[in-house]
Amino acid sequence: EFTAQVVDALPCLGSTISFVRTPADEEWRDVQVGIADPNGVEEAVQQLQSFGDGLEGLWQAGLERQHCFTLLRTFVNGAVTHKQRARLAGEDAWVAYDDAVWEQLIRMTGNVTGPYCRRMAFTPAKMGGLGLAAAAGRGEAAWVSSWQAGRHEVRRGQGHTSVQQAERATPRLTTAAEGAQERLRQAGAEVSRESTH
């Protein structure tokens, strides 16, 4: 016999996406989805700090810091992307995550300081940097690409006779998607004009 499952978080490839929630008294399909939610940044920072605590335990137990840095870079360049795909937060909000990455790097090395060093940390390895991907430069792009990949299924699932009716039924989502896409265009990115239709 099938029993509806209610959860408050969705684990996804090692990251936790907690943007889908449903109160216990609602039918399980009636989920509430937060679109613009800067809390995703705070959660990402907390997860990074917790990961950094674990790394510190590893290097204190004898793991070379070079290997710890590789683990940090892998975490930084991957885990936060899932949150960015799930929650739309402004590019300025993601600076806090990059600040936390920088703090973890200082914690690990103990002697990295100055704006030049920070620039090198967020420069791709093939260009001579440390290869840490800056979250502030990819937040809206990650969310828009996720929305574009799933928008047809979302609109089809709304049960309206046209995309325009579906968009009118979700004004916050429509406005958020259009605004994010326009900001990316103004920044010089190519974004399809059909991305919400």
Side-chain angles (χ1 to χ4, degrees):
E1 180 178 321
F2 175 85
T3 303
Q5 300 294 313
V6 178
V7 296
D8 63 5
L10 172 65
C12 178
L13 299 178
S15 185
T16 299
I17 299 175
S18 56
F19 76 117
V20 178
R21 295 189 179 91
T22 178
D25 60 345
E26 289 189 22
E27 210 274 332
W28 69 275
R29 290 181 191 86
D30 296 332
V31 295
Q32 300 172 355
V33 180
I35 301 304
D37 186 358
N39 292 331
V41 178
E42 294 172 16
E43 290 175 10
V45 167
Q46 291 170 358
Q47 288 175 347
L48 173 63
Q49 290 168 340
S50 177
F51 188 80
D53 292 343
L55 285 179
E56 184 172 1
L58 289 174
W59 78 64
Q60 287 180 353
L63 185 64
E64 290 183 30
R65 290 188 195 220
Q66 181 177 353
H67 297 309
C68 291
F69 172 75
T70 300
L71 292 172
L72 176 66
R73 183 175 56 202
T74 301
F75 183 89
V76 166
N77 292 354
V80 73
T81 304
H82 301 301
K83 286 201 176 292
Q84 290 181 314
R85 288 177 179 154
R87 292 182 175 178
L88 178 60
E91 296 297 327
D92 291 344
W94 288 107
V95 171
Y97 186 82
D98 293 337
D99 290 344
V101 170
W102 180 240
E103 289 170 14
Q104 291 300 321
L105 192 58
I106 290 172
R107 176 181 181 184
M108 185 178 292
T109 62
N111 61 1
V112 177
T113 57
Y116 177 75
C117 293
R118 181 172 170 141
R119 262 197 321 272
M120 291 306 296
F122 290 103
T123 298
K126 66 182 179 182
M127 296 175 67
L130 296 181
L132 296 167
R138 57 188 169 141
E140 285 190 325
W143 187 85
V144 167
S145 65
S146 179
W147 168 241
Q148 288 181 342
R151 74 185 182 278
H152 293 299
E153 299 302 320
V154 171
R155 295 308 188 194
R156 191 171 20 252
Q158 286 180 257
H160 294 284
T161 57
S162 72
V163 172
Q164 290 75 20
Q165 282 183 335
E167 288 181 345
R168 284 193 296 273
T170 57
R172 286 180 57 209
L173 171 58
T174 300
T175 300
E178 289 175 351
Q181 291 168 101
E182 187 54 36
R183 286 188 294 278
L184 288 173
R185 285 188 197 99
Q186 289 176 1
E190 283 191 38
V191 182
S192 170
R193 293 282 177 190
E194 300 176 4
S195 55
T196 59
H197 302 290

